[in-house]
Amino acid sequence: LGWGTGRAARVFRRMAGRLEGVDLSARMIDRGRARVLYDALAVDEIGRFLARKQQATSPPKNVDWEKVTNWRG
């Protein structure tokens, strides 16, 4: 899966709250960047990119969420 030059960005932009593009080719990302439709662009392999995104948005595993949500200050 690659984002390529981002020709479909105009269509996706109307549907997306956030639009990110990923491609293995820096040249393709540069062409997509010229469209000025993206919130973020990355040169990466899609599987690795998505794994990092998931890690970044997952809650920490070592937090006691019961104590956090029941805290009354």
Side-chain angles (χ1 to χ4, degrees):
L1 177 64
W3 198 249
T5 62
R7 285 189 338 202
R10 278 184 235 109
V11 175
F12 291 129
R13 178 79 267 175
R14 286 183 249 144
M15 297 183 280
R18 180 168 176 80
L19 186 61
E20 297 187 33
V22 181
D23 200 285
L24 288 172
S25 168
R27 286 180 59 208
M28 291 295 111
I29 291 297
D30 288 342
R31 289 179 69 182
R33 186 171 287 118
R35 295 185 186 277
V36 193
L37 293 169
Y38 301 93
D39 298 300
L41 289 162
V43 177
D44 205 345
E45 187 276 324
I46 190 68
R48 187 174 43 234
F49 174 82
L50 292 174
R52 276 199 295 269
K53 292 291 268 186
Q54 183 178 9
Q55 264 184 343
T57 59
S58 297
K61 292 177 177 48
N62 59 346
V63 173
D64 185 340
W65 290 106
E66 186 176 345
K67 286 181 181 176
V68 171
T69 56
N70 291 326
W71 181 75
R72 300 283 183 224

